[in-house]
Amino acid sequence: MRDFTLHTYRMLLSSLSDCGYKFISFEQYLTSGSLPARYVILRHDIDKRANMALAVAAIEKSLNAGASYYFRCVDESNRAEVIRKVVDMGFEIGYHYEDMSICEGNLQEAKAHFAEWLGYFRQFYPVRTICMHGAPQFRHDSRELWKTVDYHDFGVIGEPYFDVDFSQVVYLTDTGRRWDGFRVSVRDKIPEYQDQWQKQGWVYHTTHDIITAAKSGTLPPHLMITTHPQRWTDNIVLWLYEAVRQTSVNMIKRILIRQMNK
């Protein structure tokens, strides 16, 4: 069975639900007085092809799942009609910020850019959480902005890379179009915990590996699962395009990682 299809994504959520996992948004994680014994923070980074987020959202809505959708300011992600539909379906949206990359490291420009676009997304939803866009092709990590600026001053209550307790929550992301993509990821990873998770056997390659772990009872009880909806499709042409494109991107990322480690 092909991985990274909508059918497989529904299988993943259904299997986790059958095993007692509850799906929550990042906002719910931060604001809930008490959390379920087993939970998954569902996060979606809308990097491109924003309309493909709607199919993922439809699956989640049919399962009564909570989730967070983070939109970039660029045209391939910032589609007002898509954002409105995601909000109307009952999901949280947030700002997938990359201000330091866009402003080439200029702190004052990046701060102003962040404020402008946070305000823009708040016309659709009372945005309270944000999430960094990795942008591996740029040398600036947009999280650098928070070394001199406090995002709480903007009414933001959380950013996953800073405000998830990863000593209790295991992070799984489809970066690299694989679930063990931290090996080819420049920024979308949690390096301080990755070795620990690997020693525990909490590293998975395919979606079916995650499903098997859930059914066997070996999957961690608390997860953040991040997907990029442009990767998940039943359309064979789009599926093949994404598979070939991501293979090339992973090769480039490996080169970037080698250069950064020199």
Side-chain angles (χ1 to χ4, degrees):
M1 186 178 296
R2 284 186 293 126
D3 204 346
F4 296 101
T5 65
L6 293 171
H7 176 69
T8 302
Y9 186 68
R10 181 181 284 276
M11 282 180 55
L12 171 65
L13 296 194
S14 296
S15 297
L16 290 171
S17 179
D18 290 344
C19 294
Y21 287 86
K22 305 299 181 183
F23 303 108
I24 60 175
S25 68
F26 181 43
E27 185 177 26
Q28 289 172 320
Y29 167 79
L30 293 173
T31 59
S32 295
S34 61
L35 293 167
R38 293 186 179 187
Y39 62 82
V40 178
I41 307 166
L42 280 181
R43 169 185 140 201
H44 304 296
D45 293 350
I46 315 304
D47 288 354
K48 57 182 66 177
R49 291 185 178 161
N51 63 303
M52 294 180 73
L54 296 176
V56 171
I59 291 172
E60 291 168 349
K61 184 173 177 59
S62 72
L63 297 172
N64 198 30
S68 302
Y69 287 74
Y70 292 95
F71 290 86
R72 299 168 64 196
C73 63
V74 298
D75 290 343
E76 55 192 340
S77 174
N78 174 22
R79 298 281 299 280
E81 69 278 12
V82 173
I83 297 171
R84 288 192 183 95
K85 288 178 181 178
V86 170
V87 172
D88 288 345
M89 294 170 80
F91 298 105
E92 176 194 14
I93 71 145
Y95 178 27
H96 200 29
Y97 68 95
E98 51 191 310
D99 309 282
M100 286 290 283
S101 298
I102 290 173
C103 298
E104 299 180 343
N106 185 305
L107 286 170
Q108 291 306 311
E109 290 183 9
K111 179 180 178 181
H113 191 274
F114 174 84
E116 176 186 355
W117 282 97
L118 180 63
Y120 167 81
F121 285 111
R122 280 178 170 163
Q123 71 179 304
F124 304 103
Y125 182 88
V127 174
R128 301 178 71 195
T129 72
I130 57 174
C131 182
M132 175 270 302
H133 174 57
Q137 70 273 33
F138 295 104
R139 64 187 181 91
H140 291 287
D141 184 329
S142 282
R143 290 171 294 189
E144 295 169 4
L145 180 61
W146 313 127
K147 293 179 180 179
T148 56
V149 177
D150 187 345
Y151 51 74
H152 295 97
D153 292 341
F154 296 90
V156 171
I157 64 172
E159 208 282 11
Y161 296 100
F162 297 109
D163 297 300
V164 172
D165 182 0
F166 287 113
S167 69
Q168 300 297 317
V169 178
V170 174
Y171 183 53
L172 300 178
T173 173
D174 68 357
T175 290
R177 203 171 177 273
R178 47 194 285 188
W179 293 103
D180 52 0
F182 62 90
R183 296 186 176 95
V184 294
S185 177
V186 176
R187 297 189 177 107
D188 188 14
K189 55 187 175 182
I190 315 296
E192 57 267 42
Y193 288 100
Q194 213 68 61
D195 289 344
Q196 176 182 324
W197 295 337
Q198 202 158 355
K199 289 176 183 177
Q200 294 285 339
W202 295 335
V203 175
Y204 313 97
H205 184 63
T206 71
T207 305
H208 305 289
D209 292 338
I210 300 173
I211 293 171
T212 298
K215 290 180 177 179
S216 68
T218 60
L219 194 68
H222 309 143
L223 299 166
M224 171 177 269
I225 291 181
T226 295
T227 76
H228 299 78
Q230 80 265 13
R231 296 199 170 101
W232 298 81
T233 179
D234 291 333
N235 182 303
I236 188 61
V237 175
L238 290 177
W239 188 91
L240 286 171
Y241 170 83
E242 183 64 23
V244 173
R245 188 196 69 83
Q246 192 61 60
T247 298
S248 301
V249 170
N250 288 347
M251 292 174 63
I252 295 170
K253 285 183 177 180
R254 287 191 182 95
I255 295 171
L256 289 173
I257 290 170
R258 290 193 196 103
Q259 292 177 340
M260 291 170 64
N261 291 333
K262 286 183 179 178

PDB file of all heavy atoms in Angstrom, residues 134-161:
ATOM      1  N   GLY A 134      10.950  26.316   8.357  1.00  0.00           N
ATOM      2  CA  GLY A 134      12.376  25.993   8.352  1.00  0.00           C
ATOM      3  C   GLY A 134      13.201  26.719   7.309  1.00  0.00           C
ATOM      4  O   GLY A 134      14.312  27.149   7.578  1.00  0.00           O
ATOM      5  N   ALA A 135      12.682  26.851   6.084  1.00  0.00           N
ATOM      6  CA  ALA A 135      13.380  27.548   4.996  1.00  0.00           C
ATOM      7  C   ALA A 135      14.861  27.171   4.934  1.00  0.00           C
ATOM      8  O   ALA A 135      15.730  28.021   5.122  1.00  0.00           O
ATOM      9  CB  ALA A 135      13.219  29.060   5.165  1.00  0.00           C
ATOM     10  N   PRO A 136      15.182  25.891   4.673  1.00  0.00           N
ATOM     11  CA  PRO A 136      16.577  25.451   4.715  1.00  0.00           C
ATOM     12  C   PRO A 136      17.473  26.110   3.670  1.00  0.00           C
ATOM     13  O   PRO A 136      18.694  26.105   3.811  1.00  0.00           O
ATOM     14  CB  PRO A 136      16.477  23.942   4.471  1.00  0.00           C
ATOM     15  CG  PRO A 136      15.181  23.763   3.741  1.00  0.00           C
ATOM     16  CD  PRO A 136      14.266  24.807   4.306  1.00  0.00           C
ATOM     17  N   GLN A 137      16.866  26.702   2.625  1.00  0.00           N
ATOM     18  CA  GLN A 137      17.671  27.341   1.589  1.00  0.00           C
ATOM     19  C   GLN A 137      18.225  28.684   2.036  1.00  0.00           C
ATOM     20  O   GLN A 137      19.083  29.264   1.365  1.00  0.00           O
ATOM     21  CB  GLN A 137      16.842  27.511   0.295  1.00  0.00           C
ATOM     22  CG  GLN A 137      15.720  28.549   0.372  1.00  0.00           C
ATOM     23  CD  GLN A 137      14.417  27.982   0.908  1.00  0.00           C
ATOM     24  OE1 GLN A 137      14.421  27.084   1.745  1.00  0.00           O
ATOM     25  NE2 GLN A 137      13.308  28.500   0.417  1.00  0.00           N
ATOM     26  N   PHE A 138      17.741  29.198   3.179  1.00  0.00           N
ATOM     27  CA  PHE A 138      18.224  30.471   3.709  1.00  0.00           C
ATOM     28  C   PHE A 138      19.104  30.227   4.933  1.00  0.00           C
ATOM     29  O   PHE A 138      18.874  29.292   5.697  1.00  0.00           O
ATOM     30  CB  PHE A 138      17.050  31.377   4.085  1.00  0.00           C
ATOM     31  CG  PHE A 138      16.207  31.797   2.910  1.00  0.00           C
ATOM     32  CD1 PHE A 138      14.971  31.212   2.685  1.00  0.00           C
ATOM     33  CD2 PHE A 138      16.657  32.762   2.026  1.00  0.00           C
ATOM     34  CE1 PHE A 138      14.190  31.585   1.600  1.00  0.00           C
ATOM     35  CE2 PHE A 138      15.878  33.146   0.931  1.00  0.00           C
ATOM     36  CZ  PHE A 138      14.648  32.554   0.716  1.00  0.00           C
ATOM     37  N   ARG A 139      20.078  31.096   5.123  1.00  0.00           N
ATOM     38  CA  ARG A 139      21.015  30.882   6.229  1.00  0.00           C
ATOM     39  C   ARG A 139      20.457  31.311   7.576  1.00  0.00           C
ATOM     40  O   ARG A 139      20.951  30.889   8.618  1.00  0.00           O
ATOM     41  CB  ARG A 139      22.339  31.608   5.965  1.00  0.00           C
ATOM     42  CG  ARG A 139      22.265  33.112   5.885  1.00  0.00           C
ATOM     43  CD  ARG A 139      23.605  33.699   5.443  1.00  0.00           C
ATOM     44  NE  ARG A 139      23.595  35.155   5.363  1.00  0.00           N
ATOM     45  CZ  ARG A 139      23.928  35.950   6.373  1.00  0.00           C
ATOM     46  NH1 ARG A 139      24.305  35.427   7.519  1.00  0.00           N
ATOM     47  NH2 ARG A 139      23.908  37.260   6.241  1.00  0.00           N
ATOM     48  N   HIS A 140      19.409  32.148   7.576  1.00  0.00           N
ATOM     49  CA  HIS A 140      18.867  32.648   8.836  1.00  0.00           C
ATOM     50  C   HIS A 140      17.759  31.742   9.358  1.00  0.00           C
ATOM     51  O   HIS A 140      16.829  31.385   8.634  1.00  0.00           O
ATOM     52  CB  HIS A 140      18.328  34.071   8.662  1.00  0.00           C
ATOM     53  CG  HIS A 140      19.394  35.087   8.434  1.00  0.00           C
ATOM     54  ND1 HIS A 140      20.241  35.521   9.439  1.00  0.00           N
ATOM     55  CD2 HIS A 140      19.777  35.754   7.315  1.00  0.00           C
ATOM     56  CE1 HIS A 140      21.083  36.412   8.953  1.00  0.00           C
ATOM     57  NE2 HIS A 140      20.832  36.568   7.661  1.00  0.00           N
ATOM     58  N   ASP A 141      17.870  31.379  10.619  1.00  0.00           N
ATOM     59  CA  ASP A 141      16.823  30.648  11.325  1.00  0.00           C
ATOM     60  C   ASP A 141      15.892  31.699  11.907  1.00  0.00           C
ATOM     61  O   ASP A 141      16.313  32.546  12.705  1.00  0.00           O
ATOM     62  CB  ASP A 141      17.455  29.811  12.439  1.00  0.00           C
ATOM     63  CG  ASP A 141      16.453  28.928  13.166  1.00  0.00           C
ATOM     64  OD1 ASP A 141      15.275  29.313  13.266  1.00  0.00           O
ATOM     65  OD2 ASP A 141      16.860  27.856  13.663  1.00  0.00           O
ATOM     66  N   SER A 142      14.609  31.664  11.524  1.00  0.00           N
ATOM     67  CA  SER A 142      13.696  32.719  11.954  1.00  0.00           C
ATOM     68  C   SER A 142      13.442  32.722  13.454  1.00  0.00           C
ATOM     69  O   SER A 142      12.935  33.709  14.002  1.00  0.00           O
ATOM     70  CB  SER A 142      12.367  32.622  11.187  1.00  0.00           C
ATOM     71  OG  SER A 142      12.530  33.164   9.875  1.00  0.00           O
ATOM     72  N   ARG A 143      13.821  31.666  14.151  1.00  0.00           N
ATOM     73  CA  ARG A 143      13.713  31.663  15.614  1.00  0.00           C
ATOM     74  C   ARG A 143      14.720  32.606  16.256  1.00  0.00           C
ATOM     75  O   ARG A 143      14.599  32.930  17.446  1.00  0.00           O
ATOM     76  CB  ARG A 143      13.896  30.239  16.148  1.00  0.00           C
ATOM     77  CG  ARG A 143      12.743  29.309  15.819  1.00  0.00           C
ATOM     78  CD  ARG A 143      13.032  27.870  16.159  1.00  0.00           C
ATOM     79  NE  ARG A 143      14.097  27.327  15.335  1.00  0.00           N
ATOM     80  CZ  ARG A 143      14.435  26.034  15.295  1.00  0.00           C
ATOM     81  NH1 ARG A 143      13.770  25.166  16.049  1.00  0.00           N
ATOM     82  NH2 ARG A 143      15.406  25.605  14.512  1.00  0.00           N
ATOM     83  N   GLU A 144      15.707  33.052  15.474  1.00  0.00           N
ATOM     84  CA  GLU A 144      16.682  34.013  15.996  1.00  0.00           C
ATOM     85  C   GLU A 144      16.014  35.315  16.437  1.00  0.00           C
ATOM     86  O   GLU A 144      16.536  36.035  17.291  1.00  0.00           O
ATOM     87  CB  GLU A 144      17.734  34.332  14.926  1.00  0.00           C
ATOM     88  CG  GLU A 144      18.611  33.158  14.538  1.00  0.00           C
ATOM     89  CD  GLU A 144      19.443  33.445  13.301  1.00  0.00           C
ATOM     90  OE1 GLU A 144      19.380  34.590  12.796  1.00  0.00           O
ATOM     91  OE2 GLU A 144      20.148  32.538  12.845  1.00  0.00           O
ATOM     92  N   LEU A 145      14.858  35.617  15.865  1.00  0.00           N
ATOM     93  CA  LEU A 145      14.140  36.845  16.217  1.00  0.00           C
ATOM     94  C   LEU A 145      13.827  36.900  17.706  1.00  0.00           C
ATOM     95  O   LEU A 145      13.854  37.968  18.323  1.00  0.00           O
ATOM     96  CB  LEU A 145      12.847  36.937  15.400  1.00  0.00           C
ATOM     97  CG  LEU A 145      11.952  38.165  15.619  1.00  0.00           C
ATOM     98  CD1 LEU A 145      12.698  39.443  15.273  1.00  0.00           C
ATOM     99  CD2 LEU A 145      10.683  38.056  14.782  1.00  0.00           C
ATOM    100  N   TRP A 146      13.563  35.738  18.308  1.00  0.00           N
ATOM    101  CA  TRP A 146      13.123  35.696  19.706  1.00  0.00           C
ATOM    102  C   TRP A 146      14.275  35.808  20.688  1.00  0.00           C
ATOM    103  O   TRP A 146      14.057  35.760  21.904  1.00  0.00           O
ATOM    104  CB  TRP A 146      12.304  34.435  19.951  1.00  0.00           C
ATOM    105  CG  TRP A 146      11.273  34.217  18.883  1.00  0.00           C
ATOM    106  CD1 TRP A 146      11.072  33.091  18.143  1.00  0.00           C
ATOM    107  CD2 TRP A 146      10.311  35.173  18.396  1.00  0.00           C
ATOM    108  NE1 TRP A 146      10.070  33.267  17.234  1.00  0.00           N
ATOM    109  CE2 TRP A 146       9.580  34.542  17.364  1.00  0.00           C
ATOM    110  CE3 TRP A 146      10.012  36.495  18.727  1.00  0.00           C
ATOM    111  CZ2 TRP A 146       8.567  35.194  16.667  1.00  0.00           C
ATOM    112  CZ3 TRP A 146       9.009  37.154  18.030  1.00  0.00           C
ATOM    113  CH2 TRP A 146       8.298  36.507  17.030  1.00  0.00           C
ATOM    114  N   LYS A 147      15.495  35.983  20.186  1.00  0.00           N
ATOM    115  CA  LYS A 147      16.617  36.261  21.079  1.00  0.00           C
ATOM    116  C   LYS A 147      16.557  37.687  21.610  1.00  0.00           C
ATOM    117  O   LYS A 147      17.103  37.980  22.683  1.00  0.00           O
ATOM    118  CB  LYS A 147      17.947  36.035  20.345  1.00  0.00           C
ATOM    119  CG  LYS A 147      18.210  34.575  19.983  1.00  0.00           C
ATOM    120  CD  LYS A 147      19.520  34.430  19.237  1.00  0.00           C
ATOM    121  CE  LYS A 147      19.789  32.971  18.874  1.00  0.00           C
ATOM    122  NZ  LYS A 147      21.066  32.809  18.117  1.00  0.00           N
ATOM    123  N   THR A 148      15.904  38.577  20.863  1.00  0.00           N
ATOM    124  CA  THR A 148      15.823  39.981  21.271  1.00  0.00           C
ATOM    125  C   THR A 148      14.386  40.488  21.356  1.00  0.00           C
ATOM    126  O   THR A 148      14.143  41.598  21.824  1.00  0.00           O
ATOM    127  CB  THR A 148      16.597  40.880  20.284  1.00  0.00           C
ATOM    128  OG1 THR A 148      16.100  40.666  18.956  1.00  0.00           O
ATOM    129  CG2 THR A 148      18.085  40.541  20.318  1.00  0.00           C
ATOM    130  N   VAL A 149      13.441  39.702  20.885  1.00  0.00           N
ATOM    131  CA  VAL A 149      12.025  40.080  20.886  1.00  0.00           C
ATOM    132  C   VAL A 149      11.245  38.984  21.604  1.00  0.00           C
ATOM    133  O   VAL A 149      11.572  37.796  21.493  1.00  0.00           O
ATOM    134  CB  VAL A 149      11.505  40.249  19.436  1.00  0.00           C
ATOM    135  CG1 VAL A 149      10.019  40.580  19.430  1.00  0.00           C
ATOM    136  CG2 VAL A 149      12.289  41.320  18.696  1.00  0.00           C
ATOM    137  N   ASP A 150      10.218  39.370  22.372  1.00  0.00           N
ATOM    138  CA  ASP A 150       9.383  38.412  23.096  1.00  0.00           C
ATOM    139  C   ASP A 150       8.042  38.274  22.370  1.00  0.00           C
ATOM    140  O   ASP A 150       7.268  39.231  22.288  1.00  0.00           O
ATOM    141  CB  ASP A 150       9.155  38.901  24.526  1.00  0.00           C
ATOM    142  CG  ASP A 150       8.434  37.873  25.391  1.00  0.00           C
ATOM    143  OD1 ASP A 150       7.859  36.908  24.845  1.00  0.00           O
ATOM    144  OD2 ASP A 150       8.426  38.047  26.628  1.00  0.00           O
ATOM    145  N   TYR A 151       7.764  37.082  21.841  1.00  0.00           N
ATOM    146  CA  TYR A 151       6.512  36.925  21.090  1.00  0.00           C
ATOM    147  C   TYR A 151       5.280  37.051  21.971  1.00  0.00           C
ATOM    148  O   TYR A 151       4.183  37.317  21.481  1.00  0.00           O
ATOM    149  CB  TYR A 151       6.472  35.628  20.277  1.00  0.00           C
ATOM    150  CG  TYR A 151       6.806  34.346  21.000  1.00  0.00           C
ATOM    151  CD1 TYR A 151       5.928  33.760  21.901  1.00  0.00           C
ATOM    152  CD2 TYR A 151       8.002  33.676  20.735  1.00  0.00           C
ATOM    153  CE1 TYR A 151       6.224  32.570  22.524  1.00  0.00           C
ATOM    154  CE2 TYR A 151       8.316  32.481  21.363  1.00  0.00           C
ATOM    155  CZ  TYR A 151       7.426  31.922  22.254  1.00  0.00           C
ATOM    156  OH  TYR A 151       7.728  30.738  22.874  1.00  0.00           O
ATOM    157  N   HIS A 152       5.445  36.906  23.266  1.00  0.00           N
ATOM    158  CA  HIS A 152       4.304  37.115  24.163  1.00  0.00           C
ATOM    159  C   HIS A 152       3.801  38.564  24.097  1.00  0.00           C
ATOM    160  O   HIS A 152       2.620  38.827  24.367  1.00  0.00           O
ATOM    161  CB  HIS A 152       4.677  36.752  25.600  1.00  0.00           C
ATOM    162  CG  HIS A 152       4.998  35.308  25.791  1.00  0.00           C
ATOM    163  ND1 HIS A 152       6.296  34.821  25.780  1.00  0.00           N
ATOM    164  CD2 HIS A 152       4.192  34.217  25.949  1.00  0.00           C
ATOM    165  CE1 HIS A 152       6.286  33.514  25.963  1.00  0.00           C
ATOM    166  NE2 HIS A 152       5.017  33.117  26.066  1.00  0.00           N
ATOM    167  N   ASP A 153       4.685  39.484  23.763  1.00  0.00           N
ATOM    168  CA  ASP A 153       4.293  40.888  23.648  1.00  0.00           C
ATOM    169  C   ASP A 153       3.284  41.105  22.518  1.00  0.00           C
ATOM    170  O   ASP A 153       2.621  42.143  22.466  1.00  0.00           O
ATOM    171  CB  ASP A 153       5.514  41.779  23.414  1.00  0.00           C
ATOM    172  CG  ASP A 153       6.434  41.834  24.620  1.00  0.00           C
ATOM    173  OD1 ASP A 153       5.979  41.501  25.735  1.00  0.00           O
ATOM    174  OD2 ASP A 153       7.623  42.201  24.457  1.00  0.00           O
ATOM    175  N   PHE A 154       3.176  40.150  21.607  1.00  0.00           N
ATOM    176  CA  PHE A 154       2.231  40.235  20.492  1.00  0.00           C
ATOM    177  C   PHE A 154       0.938  39.468  20.792  1.00  0.00           C
ATOM    178  O   PHE A 154       0.116  39.272  19.901  1.00  0.00           O
ATOM    179  CB  PHE A 154       2.867  39.674  19.224  1.00  0.00           C
ATOM    180  CG  PHE A 154       4.059  40.438  18.722  1.00  0.00           C
ATOM    181  CD1 PHE A 154       5.340  40.110  19.154  1.00  0.00           C
ATOM    182  CD2 PHE A 154       3.913  41.491  17.836  1.00  0.00           C
ATOM    183  CE1 PHE A 154       6.441  40.810  18.694  1.00  0.00           C
ATOM    184  CE2 PHE A 154       5.012  42.200  17.368  1.00  0.00           C
ATOM    185  CZ  PHE A 154       6.279  41.861  17.800  1.00  0.00           C
ATOM    186  N   GLY A 155       0.782  39.015  22.027  1.00  0.00           N
ATOM    187  CA  GLY A 155      -0.402  38.226  22.369  1.00  0.00           C
ATOM    188  C   GLY A 155      -0.301  36.779  21.945  1.00  0.00           C
ATOM    189  O   GLY A 155      -1.305  36.076  21.876  1.00  0.00           O
ATOM    190  N   VAL A 156       0.909  36.317  21.654  1.00  0.00           N
ATOM    191  CA  VAL A 156       1.157  34.924  21.268  1.00  0.00           C
ATOM    192  C   VAL A 156       1.462  34.118  22.525  1.00  0.00           C
ATOM    193  O   VAL A 156       2.280  34.532  23.353  1.00  0.00           O
ATOM    194  CB  VAL A 156       2.334  34.840  20.277  1.00  0.00           C
ATOM    195  CG1 VAL A 156       2.737  33.385  20.036  1.00  0.00           C
ATOM    196  CG2 VAL A 156       1.963  35.519  18.962  1.00  0.00           C
ATOM    197  N   ILE A 157       0.805  32.978  22.675  1.00  0.00           N
ATOM    198  CA  ILE A 157       1.003  32.166  23.875  1.00  0.00           C
ATOM    199  C   ILE A 157       1.955  30.993  23.653  1.00  0.00           C
ATOM    200  O   ILE A 157       2.381  30.368  24.628  1.00  0.00           O
ATOM    201  CB  ILE A 157      -0.329  31.643  24.430  1.00  0.00           C
ATOM    202  CG1 ILE A 157      -1.008  30.688  23.434  1.00  0.00           C
ATOM    203  CG2 ILE A 157      -1.243  32.802  24.799  1.00  0.00           C
ATOM    204  CD1 ILE A 157      -2.243  29.990  24.008  1.00  0.00           C
ATOM    205  N   GLY A 158       2.293  30.687  22.394  1.00  0.00           N
ATOM    206  CA  GLY A 158       3.160  29.543  22.213  1.00  0.00           C
ATOM    207  C   GLY A 158       3.727  29.375  20.820  1.00  0.00           C
ATOM    208  O   GLY A 158       3.137  29.809  19.826  1.00  0.00           O
ATOM    209  N   GLU A 159       4.903  28.754  20.783  1.00  0.00           N
ATOM    210  CA  GLU A 159       5.608  28.354  19.569  1.00  0.00           C
ATOM    211  C   GLU A 159       6.099  26.936  19.822  1.00  0.00           C
ATOM    212  O   GLU A 159       6.771  26.692  20.828  1.00  0.00           O
ATOM    213  CB  GLU A 159       6.786  29.310  19.338  1.00  0.00           C
ATOM    214  CG  GLU A 159       7.233  29.503  17.892  1.00  0.00           C
ATOM    215  CD  GLU A 159       8.087  28.377  17.327  1.00  0.00           C
ATOM    216  OE1 GLU A 159       8.200  27.318  17.967  1.00  0.00           O
ATOM    217  OE2 GLU A 159       8.628  28.572  16.231  1.00  0.00           O
ATOM    218  N   PRO A 160       5.742  25.963  18.988  1.00  0.00           N
ATOM    219  CA  PRO A 160       6.031  24.564  19.316  1.00  0.00           C
ATOM    220  C   PRO A 160       7.471  24.262  19.692  1.00  0.00           C
ATOM    221  O   PRO A 160       7.711  23.464  20.609  1.00  0.00           O
ATOM    222  CB  PRO A 160       5.627  23.818  18.034  1.00  0.00           C
ATOM    223  CG  PRO A 160       4.596  24.678  17.408  1.00  0.00           C
ATOM    224  CD  PRO A 160       4.999  26.093  17.722  1.00  0.00           C
ATOM    225  N   TYR A 161       8.442  24.880  19.015  1.00  0.00           N
ATOM    226  CA  TYR A 161       9.831  24.552  19.286  1.00  0.00           C
ATOM    227  C   TYR A 161      10.295  25.072  20.644  1.00  0.00           C
ATOM    228  O   TYR A 161      11.333  24.651  21.153  1.00  0.00           O
ATOM    229  CB  TYR A 161      10.722  25.101  18.176  1.00  0.00           C
ATOM    230  CG  TYR A 161      10.442  24.450  16.842  1.00  0.00           C
ATOM    231  CD1 TYR A 161       9.661  25.093  15.883  1.00  0.00           C
ATOM    232  CD2 TYR A 161      10.906  23.165  16.555  1.00  0.00           C
ATOM    233  CE1 TYR A 161       9.376  24.496  14.667  1.00  0.00           C
ATOM    234  CE2 TYR A 161      10.630  22.555  15.342  1.00  0.00           C
ATOM    235  CZ  TYR A 161       9.857  23.223  14.406  1.00  0.00           C
ATOM    236  OH  TYR A 161       9.564  22.625  13.207  1.00  0.00           O
TER     237      TYR A 161
END
